[in-house]
Amino acid sequence: MVAITAGEAANPRKTVPKAIERVFYRILFFYFGSTLVIGMLVPYNSPDLLGGTGDATSSPFVIAIRRAGISVLPDIINVVILVSAFSTASSKIYGGSRILFGLANDGMAPRIFSRCTQAGLPAWSLMATCSLSVLAFMCLDKHAGVAFIWFQNLSAMTGMLTWWAILVCYLCFYQGLKVQGYDRNSLHYKAPFQPYASWGGLIMLTIIIITSGFQCFLKGNWSPSDFVASYLTLPIFVLCYISWKIIKQTKFVKARDMNFVTGTRELDEMDAEEREKAFVPHTKWEKFVDWLM
């Protein structure tokens, strides 16, 4: 999402590094913080946790709320869940519409999706992305569980393949900088622990992708439906990539031929304008707000 929104940011050199840092701390606070709190409230040998019915009542969050004995807390949690669901849906719609718009601009999707309103809104891409939300009504069917598992597996595999491709692209980018003699310290943002972190993530993702449907290969667990749901996205991904290479006859860009110059002049001008009208915080509150934003 950070990379997608960077295309519409006023000054990506300033906003993107800040966004990356904020996302890290927010994940650290919300995910690890909530896990820590749940771990302190719900004992590992709780009967509700070990002998649950498999529904929402077995959730450690629900158990923690019930053990706290605060009557209004479940309503607050419901509101938080609804807001989180709305936030997730809106971010996915935003990201999906912009990705479809970018594909159309690059000739990888129908041109109609590259059309924008006078205000710059990719309306056709947005409508196409929103139209997929009607699939949520499949949950009303008696076989909703099967449909949910299919969508869950397909979306999870798609996400992992996306991150796999991102890591491959970054490693190529890293190699290009190295071959052409660019110093990473001259970049406005430099990811730490590179390229080792990317190689580690790439290896782990490859293992996860290959073993995502391992349960199908266990004795007595073979299911053609589960196998297809677990691995269908993988051949589609490979087929789309190979087909594009064959049809468009595109070539791999060598490290020495990568272009790291185009667009830098415009970004330099943005930086100069930003420095002229930049707000300099003085008080602690202003510094905190500037760090937060």
Side-chain angles (χ1 to χ4, degrees):
M1 285 301 299
V2 174
I4 295 172
T5 54
E8 300 183 19
N11 187 358
R13 283 182 174 176
K14 178 181 178 181
T15 55
V16 171
K18 290 182 67 174
I20 293 173
E21 293 176 0
R22 303 304 180 272
V23 168
F24 172 79
Y25 289 114
R26 287 167 185 169
I27 290 176
L28 187 67
F29 176 76
F30 288 107
Y31 286 85
F32 287 88
S34 60
T35 303
L36 178 63
V37 171
I38 291 298
M40 292 188 295
L41 294 178
V42 181
Y44 72 94
N45 57 353
S46 171
D48 296 328
L49 189 64
L50 300 176
T53 58
D55 54 15
T57 58
S58 302
S59 169
F61 291 94
V62 175
I63 297 172
I65 293 171
R66 190 165 57 245
R67 290 174 61 89
I70 305 175
S71 58
V72 73
L73 198 54
D75 296 328
I76 297 176
I77 295 299
N78 285 335
V79 172
V80 171
I81 292 174
L82 289 174
V83 172
S84 300
F86 179 81
S87 175
T88 301
S90 61
S91 66
K92 298 305 178 184
I93 290 174
Y94 173 84
S97 61
R98 267 53 180 185
I99 290 174
L100 185 57
F101 172 75
L103 290 173
N105 276 336
D106 292 338
M108 299 181 181
R111 280 292 178 184
I112 189 174
F113 296 123
S114 64
R115 297 180 182 177
C116 295
T117 63
Q118 292 182 351
L121 178 69
W124 287 98
S125 296
L126 183 61
M127 288 188 290
T129 305
C130 290
S131 65
L132 297 177
S133 62
V134 299
L135 295 175
F137 289 103
M138 294 180 65
C139 67
L140 301 177
D141 188 78
K142 61 181 180 179
H143 301 296
V146 177
F148 175 78
I149 292 175
W150 269 73
F151 281 123
Q152 183 184 43
N153 291 339
L154 292 174
S155 60
M157 178 62 77
T158 302
M160 288 188 289
L161 287 173
T162 301
W163 278 107
W164 187 90
I166 290 173
L167 290 172
V168 171
C169 291
Y170 175 79
L171 290 171
C172 293
F173 168 79
Y174 182 93
Q175 183 65 19
L177 291 177
K178 184 177 180 180
V179 170
Q180 296 187 29
Y182 284 94
D183 185 6
R184 290 181 67 240
N185 293 318
S186 64
L187 301 177
H188 288 262
Y189 177 77
K190 183 182 71 172
F193 312 117
Q194 297 298 343
Y196 311 106
S198 293
W199 275 113
L202 187 65
I203 293 172
M204 290 300 298
L205 273 177
T206 302
I207 295 174
I208 294 173
I209 289 171
I210 294 174
T211 61
S212 60
F214 77 95
Q215 70 276 4
C216 297
F217 302 102
L218 299 178
K219 187 176 181 180
N221 287 345
W222 171 253
S223 171
S225 176
D226 292 343
F227 176 80
V228 173
S230 299
Y231 292 105
L232 177 63
T233 312
L234 186 57
I236 293 177
F237 175 82
V238 176
L239 180 63
C240 289
Y241 181 81
I242 295 177
S243 299
W244 180 263
K245 283 291 183 183
I246 294 175
I247 295 173
K248 297 296 183 178
Q249 296 183 351
T250 58
K251 298 180 180 180
F252 292 99
V253 180
K254 297 180 180 179
R256 65 173 181 270
D257 298 327
M258 292 181 181
N259 185 359
F260 299 114
V261 178
T262 301
T264 55
R265 183 173 61 85
E266 291 81 358
L267 292 174
D268 290 337
E269 294 175 355
M270 288 184 186
D271 283 343
E273 294 177 1
E274 188 73 19
R275 283 193 295 269
E276 291 179 359
K277 58 182 181 181
F279 169 74
V280 180
H282 298 286
T283 65
K284 291 183 178 180
W285 172 251
E286 290 177 347
K287 292 179 180 179
F288 173 75
V289 173
D290 181 69
W291 176 87
L292 188 64
M293 301 301 291

